[in-house]
């Protein structure tokens, strides 16, 4: 299959990136990050999550972040909502899209959201209903679709089963998430092709963490199966608090650099993203893990 001419990038650093930082990051920095990303041209920004602050303290200021940002009418601002309480907070904050997140692995479901897969789907039913009633877009994220830190390889049928259940709940988009970054290209193709049997591929996104350095190859493989939505994180920020050793999502700068080389349009200003990557890395006190970002930044200084 030929590669897509256009790709939608969902920037997840304000949520998936920052949630993993141990030191609390000032709300004003979070707001500035989202604003800078909006200006750089991202069509969809995963801005906050409305989860239990006992579980993820870093995300406790989601309402303040949403209230403080400058909203652009064409940008979708998303929030993670594990339950009705989260959904109500998301509606009050005026987000455009809510994300329900379950796993294709039982063990991870227990660690991340403290219930079984079946219980999680039952818990999402009223969330999905209320989201639709409020006129919000609904996205369903399938964690551990390529492997689980506790269970090893995830059966493809489990991923397809969760995707099918999400579609029944009315999801507009489904994320196939490699939470711990263990997937490799052939397996990614097999999973994407299998999920494409129950979800239109234009509604499937790839969410690849880069733990084993496979994420760019996995994106290319996914594009070859017709997938054209990908989640990325500026400077490669992130990890997952419930997946030990997992690094962040693939760095946005690296993906934009690859897509530019392939002549695939994203509408995003790579140069601005390089600056954002360096700026946020400076604020949180560790070096950007984006190879392209660091190389391009060095060229600017030279
Ligand atoms: P629980 O402890 O089983 O349930 O948590 P609970 O209902 O007993 O709630 C515990 C406390 O949290 C209570 O407070 C609730 O009121 C409060 P207390 O009475 O003890 O004072 N609470 C809330 N507070 C604010 N907002 C809420 C909310 N809900 C409950 N929405 C629960 C169950 C699902 C809430 C919890 O496990 C949780 O919040 N988990 C979220 C974990 C999380 O955010 N993980 C990271 C995101 S997932 C991820 O990164 C993967 C992804 O990127 C894709 C990938 O890479 O695979 C999406
Ligand atoms: Mg993630």
């Amino acid at each position: 299959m030929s590669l897509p001419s256009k790709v939608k990038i969902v920037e997840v650093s304000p949520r998936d990136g920052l949630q993993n930082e141990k030191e609390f990051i000032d709300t004003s920095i979070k707001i500035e990050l989202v604003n800078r990303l909006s200006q750089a041209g991202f069509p969809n920004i995963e801005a906050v999550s409305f989860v239990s602050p006992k579980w993820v303290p870093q995300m406790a200021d989601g309402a303040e972040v949403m209230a403080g940002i400058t909203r652009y009418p064409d940008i979708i601002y998303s929030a993670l909502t594990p339950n009705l309480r989260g959904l109500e907070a998301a509606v009050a904050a005026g987000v455009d899209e809510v994300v329900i997140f379950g796993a294709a692995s039982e063990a991870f479901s227990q660690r991340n959201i403290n219930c079984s897969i079946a219980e999680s789907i039952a818990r999402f039913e009223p969330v999905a209903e209320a989201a639709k009633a409020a006129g919000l877009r609904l996205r369903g994220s399938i964690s551990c679709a390529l492997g689980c830190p506790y269970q090893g390889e995830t059966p493809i049928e489990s991923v397809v089963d969760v995707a099918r259940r999400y579609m029944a709940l009315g999801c507009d988009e489904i994320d196939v998430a490699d939470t711990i970054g263990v997937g490799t290209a052939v397996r990614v193709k097999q999973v994407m092709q299998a999920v494409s049997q129950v979800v239109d591929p234009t509604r499937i996104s790839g969410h690849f963490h880069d733990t084993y350095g496979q994420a760019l190859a996995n994106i290319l493989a996914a594009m070859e199966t017709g997938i054209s939505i990908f989640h990325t994180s500026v400077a490669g920020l992130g990890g997952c608090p419930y997946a030990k050793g997992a690094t962040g999502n693939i760095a946005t700068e690296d993906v934009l650099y690859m897509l530019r080389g392939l002549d695939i349009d994203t509408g995003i200003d790579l140069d601005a993203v390089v600056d954002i990557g360096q700026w946020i890395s400076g604020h949180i006190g560790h070096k950007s893990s984006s190879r392209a970002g660091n190389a391009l930044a060095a060229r600017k200084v030279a």
Side-chain angles (χ1 to χ4, degrees), residues 2-7 220 223 255-267:
S2 59
L3 296 177
S5 57
K6 237 178 128 75
V7 151
L220 195 53
M223 286 197 295
V255 174
L256 293 179
Y257 185 82
M258 177 178 82
L259 295 178
R260 190 174 71 178
L262 293 168
D263 206 18
I264 295 174
D265 180 32
T266 60

Side-chain angles (χ1 to χ4, degrees), residues 76-94:
I76 296 169
Y77 295 92
S78 317
L80 263 61
T81 54
N83 52 21
L84 259 184
R85 169 134 179 225
L87 189 273
E88 279 156 17
V91 170

Side-chain angles (χ1 to χ4, degrees), residues 112 120 140 157 166 243 250 265 292 295:
N112 194 34
S120 73
E157 195 35 56
Y166 277 166
I250 176 70
D265 180 32

Side-chain angles (χ1 to χ4, degrees), residues 219-239:
I219 289 176
L220 195 53
M223 286 197 295
E224 284 171 357
T225 69
I227 307 303
S228 59
I229 310 172
F230 297 100
H231 295 192
T232 68
S233 177
V234 75
L237 289 179

Side-chain angles (χ1 to χ4, degrees), residues 12 15-17 19 46 49-56 59-60 80-89 99-103 108-115 123-124 139-145 175-181 207-209 231 239-243 246-247 249:
V12 298
R15 196 285 303 171
D16 207 355
Q19 79 176 6
E46 198 169 277
S49 61
F50 292 106
V51 300
S52 167
K54 288 191 177 145
W55 286 65
V56 187
M59 294 284 109
L80 263 61
T81 54
N83 52 21
L84 259 184
R85 169 134 179 225
L87 189 273
E88 279 156 17
V99 184
I100 51 179
F101 52 106
F108 192 80
S109 182
Q110 291 291 351
R111 307 263 177 146
N112 194 34
I113 50 176
N114 206 18
C115 62
R123 193 188 278 174
F124 295 146
R139 175 144 68 76
S141 177
I142 310 175
S143 300
C144 296
D175 310 333
V176 173
D178 186 6
T179 312
I180 54 171
H207 177 113
F208 297 111
H209 287 251
H231 295 192
C240 177
Y242 304 102
T247 66
N249 285 80

Side-chain angles (χ1 to χ4, degrees), residues 176-237:
V176 173
D178 186 6
T179 312
I180 54 171
V182 288
T184 50
V186 170
R187 182 73 175 181
V188 166
K189 279 193 175 178
Q190 290 166 348
V191 172
M192 290 303 189
Q193 278 159 347
V195 176
S196 296
Q197 300 301 308
V198 296
V199 183
D200 185 311
T202 60
R203 291 165 175 259
I204 302 174
S205 68
H207 177 113
F208 297 111
H209 287 251
D210 200 31
T211 318
Y212 290 84
Q214 302 300 301
L216 280 180
N218 290 343
I219 289 176
L220 195 53
M223 286 197 295
E224 284 171 357
T225 69
I227 307 303
S228 59
I229 310 172
F230 297 100
H231 295 192
T232 68
S233 177
V234 75
L237 289 179

